[in-house]
Amino acid sequence: MKLFAVQDELVWLAVFSVFVSAILTNLMWIRSIGIAGISGLSIVYIKLGSGSLPGTILTVITTLLLAIAVFLAIYADLSYPSKNIQGDEKQHEI
């Protein structure tokens, strides 16, 4: 982003948003909270306006990749139930 004359504050906001989103997605029980990181990227997108087309494109691509990553984490949770839940069910059967 620095190569395309994007302000340092916006670059750090974008990095912070992706970092927070990754932490929320991996540490929280409700994975969809990771989508909150997109709000920071939307602020970057609004602040860029039409000033930097490559910066805007990079922000949009980053937002899409972030959303896909969160949805894949949610899908992984739905596809592969926790081993603890299966273990609890087996204990109740005995």
Side-chain angles (χ1 to χ4, degrees):
M1 291 184 116
K2 287 184 178 185
L3 293 174
F4 303 116
V6 176
Q7 300 169 358
D8 287 342
E9 297 83 19
L10 295 178
V11 171
W12 286 111
L13 178 59
V15 170
F16 178 75
S17 296
V18 171
F19 183 71
V20 166
S21 182
I23 289 174
L24 290 175
T25 300
N26 289 314
L27 295 181
M28 300 297 284
W29 186 69
I30 301 173
R31 303 272 187 221
S32 60
I33 292 174
I35 295 291
I38 293 177
S39 62
L41 291 171
S42 65
I43 292 171
V44 172
Y45 177 79
I46 290 169
K47 294 287 184 182
L48 283 174
S50 61
S52 174
L53 182 61
T56 301
I57 292 171
L58 186 58
T59 303
V60 169
I61 291 171
T62 304
T63 302
L64 289 174
L65 290 173
L66 182 62
I68 290 169
V70 171
F71 286 127
L72 286 175
I74 293 169
Y75 177 73
D77 279 350
L78 296 175
S79 296
Y80 304 106
S82 174
K83 291 180 182 178
N84 293 335
I85 293 172
Q86 292 175 353
D88 291 342
E89 290 174 0
K90 288 180 182 176
Q91 289 176 357
H92 292 294
E93 291 176 4
I94 296 176

